[in-house]
Structures are given as structure tokens and as C-alpha cells.
Amino acid sequence: MRYVVIMAGGSGTRLWPLSRRGTPKQLLKLIGGTSLLRLAFERATRLVPAERILVVTGAPYLDAVRADLPEVAPENLLGEPVGRDSLNAVAWPAAVIARRDPDAVIAQLTADQLIEPVDAFVTALEEAFAVAEADDRALVTLGVVPTSPHTGYGYLHRGEPVPGCPTACAVREFREKPDADTAAAYLASGEYWWNAGMFVWRAATFLDQLAALEPATHASVLELAADPGRLDEIFPTLRKTSVDFGVMEPVSRGAATGSVVAVALPIDWRDVGGFASLAEVLTADADGNVVDGLAVLNDARDNLVINTVDAHVVAVSGTTGMVVVHTPDATLVTTLAGAESIKSVVAAVADAAGPDFT
């Protein structure tokens, strides 16, 4: 049967002070009062019933995830005691699902993007499922059809089409985030898609590749699936690496028995990673200002102002391209351009004021 695993780990440091240690960005109700995780779950229910949706998140977030997704059974919530990167966020649930259903086919999806239109997303996933079901060697990766020479995404170099499939093709290679000139050349060639970091595969196929390429991880996740009570013992020992570096790229180079296939995602795909991208997805007023909460703007343009305190007003005057975020115990003031450097600010806050403010 088909399953969906939603990866909902990470802290979303670049959205501090909205995202905190106990409330990562995927749980913030940023989009019309709805969290990114909830939106990802609702997309997943277009593909499989709720009982076949699993969520992988940080152990400290489990209670919040339960509250946001009450439809998900407790045994389908996997809480990582420590972050060990994306390879382990896909390997652990693959082992869990394979133990329940050896013939399972899994869509491995993310919880920190906005995806529209959802109908096109569902159509692409249906094709990806069909490819994985028809070919027991295929590891299917989803490639977003690029609309600009974006330098913030990795790229997939497409090869020969897969016969009988509308958009599927072999993947020649994975390419890292390019410089501007290289990205422009990729776009002009028409041979590259953005790497969405979402996948579809048979559980058994993925685990076979993992056994060949990362045998220690393979053995450990099988032990963990068989004995969940050893989570705190086993999980921190897993080698920390990404699924692209650990499995997908080596397989694409012929290092194991599988093959990597890409399916097109012809969608509007936005990674809400920081305040600049958040400002792009929220509605702006006539002066280009994005405002959430009680705020007064005077002679101000193209600012992002967020105030989460009801009995407090934020006033902004004479500014352009600023970010002002006010919460009960922390206030951030920066520029939209400088907002990408918030990780260093958070580290400085922890040093100066203590971890309770991060």
C-alpha cells in the first residue's frame, strides 16, 4: 500500500523570535491561521488516508504536533531525540513501515514549503507512485520546474525520459546550489529542475540501497524498528548526513543497484525559510508593507511588521525594507536583506541573555 511520511524536524532559526526551541517554524500558524505542517498534512490526505501518514519531528515537538494533527495515530509520530540530518529522517520511518508492510511504497514529503496548485502536486505524486510501483529499482525524486535562475536551490540534471510516463526521466546528476551565471545557464538549457527534497520509493528498495551504501545505518534503523524502546540509545549513534549525499547521489552514479528517476512538479513552490520568503507569501498593502498584528506605519514602504502581543502597538515610521518582529519576550529589528543572517543573531542572544530567549 501507499504511505506518506512528512519530515517536520528543524527549528527554523531564521524566523526567530517567532520560531523558538519549543515552537519551530512548521508549527507556527503563519498562513491564514494555519501551520505549514497542517497544510502539508492536508495535502497528504489527498494521497492516502490519515492512518497511513507518519510524521518525523523532534522529540520536544511531539506534544505540539499531536495538538496540530489529532488525526495522526500516536504510533505514527516519530520523535527524534537529536537531529541526525535527512538520511536518518527517511531511513527510520522506512524501516518502521517496512516492518508493518514489506510491500509499502512511501512518499517522503516536507513540511516547510507552500505548494500551489495542490491538484498539480497530487497529480505529480500519483505519477511518482506509479513509477516506483512499476520499477522495483527506482528511487523517485521530485523536481520543481524552475521559473527563475534561483541560486538558493540544488538542481537535478535530467536525462532520458522514462517510456510510458508523462514527465518522468532519469537523473544524470545532482548539482549543488549554483552561482548566478551557472543558474542562468541551467535555466536556459531546459535540462534542469530544482531539487525539491521530496521522494517516492518502495520501502524495500530504499533499504536495499541503504544497506549497500550505509550498512551501519541500515543495521541500526532495523534494530530501532524492531525495538522502539532503544530509541535514545540507537538514534544518536546514527551517522549524520543528508539523504542526497548518503543515498541519492551515489545511486545516481551507479554505486548501488537502484536507479534515480525524477518526476516534474509544475507548481509554485516556496520554501518559507526566513523573513524575506515569508514576506513574499503574505499579502502586502498598497505601499508594499506586510503587517500582522497591531501596528501603525507612517511614511513606510516594503516593510514586514509582525506583532504577536495584543496589548501592544508597534509603530514604524520613515523606513523601507525593514523587518520588525515583536513577541512577549523578544523583539527583532533588521533589514529584509540582513534577515538571512539571523542564525548568528540567535547565537549572540543565547550568549548574552541565555537560552530561554532562543
Side-chain angles (χ1 to χ4, degrees), residues 52 57 132 160 197 246 348:
R52 281 190 264 126
T57 189
E160 294 299 313

Side-chain angles (χ1 to χ4, degrees), residues 194-236:
W194 292 331
N195 183 3
M198 293 184 279
F199 313 97
V200 178
W201 45 52
R202 296 181 183 218
T205 301
F206 175 79
L207 291 170
D208 285 347
Q209 310 313 299
L210 187 69
L213 298 165
E214 298 279 344
T217 297
H218 177 263
S220 293
V221 296
L222 291 188
E223 289 179 21
L224 182 53
D227 190 356
R230 297 177 62 197
L231 175 63
D232 290 339
E233 170 197 348
I234 294 174
F235 200 85

Side-chain angles (χ1 to χ4, degrees), residues 1-2 6 54 59 83 109 116 134 140 149 160 164 201 205 211 218 242 249 252 277 284-285 295 310 316 328 342 351:
M1 291 192 292
R2 296 178 176 183
I6 301 173
L54 285 74
L109 308 180
E116 293 179 336
V140 184
E160 294 299 313
W201 45 52
T205 301
H218 177 263
S242 72
E249 293 184 22
S252 73
S277 56
D285 65 18
D310 291 338
V316 177
I342 288 178
D351 289 341

Side-chain angles (χ1 to χ4, degrees), residues 30-202:
L30 296 172
I31 312 300
T34 304
S35 72
L36 293 170
L37 175 58
R38 183 76 206 180
L39 292 174
F41 172 78
E42 290 173 358
R43 289 193 296 268
T45 59
R46 297 277 301 272
L47 298 160
V48 301
E51 59 266 25
R52 281 190 264 126
I53 298 173
L54 285 74
V55 179
V56 181
T57 189
Y61 311 146
L62 281 172
D63 287 344
V65 171
R66 288 188 191 99
D68 203 27
L69 304 179
E71 303 94 330
V72 177
E75 63 270 21
N76 286 353
L77 297 178
L78 306 183
E80 299 174 332
V82 293
R84 302 305 291 169
D85 214 329
S86 62
L87 176 62
N88 301 297
V90 303
W92 179 23
V96 169
I97 293 171
R99 189 171 178 83
R100 300 178 188 176
D101 179 359
D103 297 321
V105 184
I106 303 169
Q108 195 81 37
L109 308 180
T110 53
D112 54 359
Q113 283 106 19
L114 285 177
I115 293 174
E116 293 179 336
V118 174
D119 285 349
F121 176 78
V122 171
T123 297
L125 263 294
E126 294 284 358
E127 180 182 355
F129 269 121
V131 171
E133 289 161 349
D135 182 355
D136 62 6
R137 297 177 59 248
L139 301 178
V140 184
T141 185
L142 300 175
V144 177
V145 180
T147 56
S148 66
H150 205 293
T151 59
Y153 301 143
Y155 283 72
L156 305 170
H157 189 188
R158 296 186 293 118
E160 294 299 313
V162 175
C165 298
T167 72
C169 58
V171 172
R172 291 179 180 173
E173 60 181 340
F174 288 73
R175 301 304 298 264
E176 296 301 312
K177 297 174 182 178
D179 59 29
D181 289 343
T182 303
Y186 287 170
L187 184 66
S189 75
E191 297 180 359
Y192 291 83
W193 291 337
W194 292 331
N195 183 3
M198 293 184 279
F199 313 97
V200 178
W201 45 52
R202 296 181 183 218

